Amino acid sequence: MAGERGQSSKVLCVSDDICPEWMGLTRWLRESAVFRQEMYGEDRFCLAKLETDVERWVVEPITRYLRGVIGPEYQNRIAFARLSTKEGGILRIHSDYGIGQLLKTGGTPYAWVWYGGEAPSEEHGTAFFSHHLYGDTLSHDVDNAEHDRLLREESDDLSQWTRTSLVSMRPNRIVAYPADRFHGQWPAQGWGSSQRDGRIVIVGFGDGGGVTDVAKGRDMGHGGAVERGTSTTG
């Protein structure tokens, strides 16, 4: 499949050419989006809210596609833009643990990332990891205190993790995966100095039914496929 390296059955899907209006969407992100620094816990992020029309450009086609993968019950709940530049760049391996509690809908939570521009190389994108103790995902039995400890003490310590796969960043591509899957921006440092030349993605969360066909490795159509590579990465 395009853009995936490594072996795992727990990345949901990768799809290219997902948004017909992607050029206008990218132009808005580069020229008009208002990015602000926001703190979540001990981490600082540069985020922008999506205007109604802009949100429709990205969320509607992604929702249609994911309903074909997950099931017709999939609903997107949150979407926002994130900017990272060459300044800073601390590795933050994490799961989107607790997003189901945040959504408060009772469905199985999923996350997706839409890539909004060219990357310096195929080695830039979203990496997935296995923790030496917990494996590929953070169990729902793990309490908030342990989750916070992992973020604080181990999220940037590669000796605690094995990188299992990498989805390369390409314009108008998404990667979607179960929200409890360990992942992180790779490499940690972005590029550029502002929204005009930095790394911009749109992140979304939704919920729906179970992932029924991922483990079988069935192609889901529309340019996407489940992750099923055979190479190894370090």
Side-chain angles (χ1 to χ4, degrees), residues 70-91:
I70 298 168
E73 65 273 29
Y74 176 82
Q75 294 287 337
N76 198 75
R77 305 294 181 180
I78 305 170
F80 53 87
R82 180 183 175 191
L83 167 68
S84 57
T85 66
K86 61 185 178 183
E87 301 298 326
I90 298 174
L91 181 63

Side-chain angles (χ1 to χ4, degrees), residues 1-205:
M1 59 169 284
E4 174 277 326
R5 304 175 187 182
Q7 183 172 10
S8 176
S9 62
K10 294 182 180 179
V11 163
L12 180 57
C13 58
V14 177
S15 183
D16 291 324
D17 304 320
I18 190 72
C19 299
E21 302 293 339
W22 74 275
M23 294 185 69
L25 177 59
T26 301
R27 188 180 310 112
W28 180 85
L29 290 166
R30 295 293 182 192
E31 299 176 1
S32 302
V34 179
F35 285 91
R36 294 186 173 90
Q37 295 287 338
E38 299 187 22
M39 292 293 297
Y40 288 89
E42 299 180 2
D43 298 304
R44 183 184 298 274
F45 302 93
C46 190
L47 306 178
K49 295 181 179 179
L50 304 182
E51 294 179 354
T52 301
D53 287 344
V54 172
E55 185 172 13
R56 186 171 63 249
W57 289 346
V58 65
V59 169
E60 286 187 357
I62 290 174
T63 296
R64 285 195 299 270
Y65 173 63
L66 291 180
R67 284 177 177 171
V69 176
I70 298 168
E73 65 273 29
Y74 176 82
Q75 294 287 337
N76 198 75
R77 305 294 181 180
I78 305 170
F80 53 87
R82 180 183 175 191
L83 167 68
S84 57
T85 66
K86 61 185 178 183
E87 301 298 326
I90 298 174
L91 181 63
R92 184 177 180 272
I93 302 171
H94 64 288
S95 80
D96 294 311
Y97 174 91
I99 194 66
Q101 294 176 330
L102 177 64
L103 298 177
K104 296 180 180 179
T105 58
T108 303
Y110 301 93
W112 53 263
V113 179
W114 177 85
Y115 301 124
E118 296 282 355
S121 77
E122 289 283 303
E123 288 298 315
H124 290 73
T126 301
F128 293 86
F129 298 86
S130 178
H131 186 260
H132 72 95
L133 178 62
Y134 294 112
D136 290 344
T137 60
L138 188 62
S139 169
H140 296 286
D141 295 331
V142 173
D143 60 22
N144 291 336
E146 173 62 4
H147 169 258
D148 293 345
R149 187 198 67 78
L150 281 174
L151 280 179
R152 185 174 60 253
E153 299 179 8
E154 299 186 15
S155 64
D156 62 346
D157 182 1
L158 281 175
S159 69
Q160 306 297 317
W161 306 88
T162 300
R163 198 183 87 180
T164 56
S165 60
L166 173 68
V167 177
S168 300
M169 180 176 181
R170 295 179 185 173
N172 201 24
R173 163 179 284 179
I174 67 161
V175 54
Y177 47 90
D180 59 359
R181 179 83 188 265
F182 287 120
H183 64 283
Q185 174 181 323
W186 189 268
Q189 190 174 49
W191 56 86
S193 58
S194 71
Q195 72 191 81
R196 289 189 173 273
D197 60 357
R199 179 188 191 270
I200 294 181
V201 300
I202 294 178
V203 179
F205 299 99

Side-chain angles (χ1 to χ4, degrees), residues 208-226:
V211 185
T212 57
D213 287 302
V214 171
K216 299 176 185 178
R218 181 169 68 87
D219 193 323
M220 298 300 180
H222 191 66
V226 298

